[in-house]
Amino acid sequence: RSTLFPYTTLFRSQVLLVVRDIRGKEFYSKVIILRSASEVVAIDPVGKLPEGVYSVVATSNNIYYEKKVLIAK
């Protein structure tokens, strides 16, 4: 399953997306360039992340969005 993160019009161009476990170890970090304000980004963590709780953070233009995600197999 993919995890969807909708971005509002506040996120206009570049978004830094970071995935860390609860201990702070970084598993994913990427700058995504959005073409439109209504674009949706999907991350497919299945098979790439071990089971556990993760923090997914998106930042752009001094806007901060965080969501906790549970990976269970």
Side-chain angles (χ1 to χ4, degrees):
R1 289 180 285 184
S2 295
T3 302
L4 299 177
F5 296 95
Y7 298 105
T8 66
T9 55
L10 297 174
F11 289 38
R12 293 201 173 98
S13 57
Q14 293 184 6
V15 176
L16 173 61
L17 191 61
V18 179
V19 177
R20 291 186 182 102
D21 67 10
I22 58 173
R23 294 186 179 124
K25 180 179 177 185
E26 192 171 291
F27 283 84
Y28 181 87
S29 179
K30 185 174 184 179
V31 173
I32 300 166
I33 299 174
L34 301 179
R35 291 177 293 250
S36 72
S38 61
E39 189 169 351
V40 175
V41 175
I43 300 172
D44 186 9
V46 175
K48 298 176 185 165
L49 296 175
E51 289 184 337
V53 178
Y54 294 87
S55 173
V56 179
V57 176
T59 58
S60 178
N61 300 327
N62 295 323
I63 304 296
Y64 180 89
Y65 175 84
E66 182 174 6
K67 183 172 184 177
K68 299 287 184 195
V69 177
L70 172 66
I71 303 293
K73 298 179 184 179

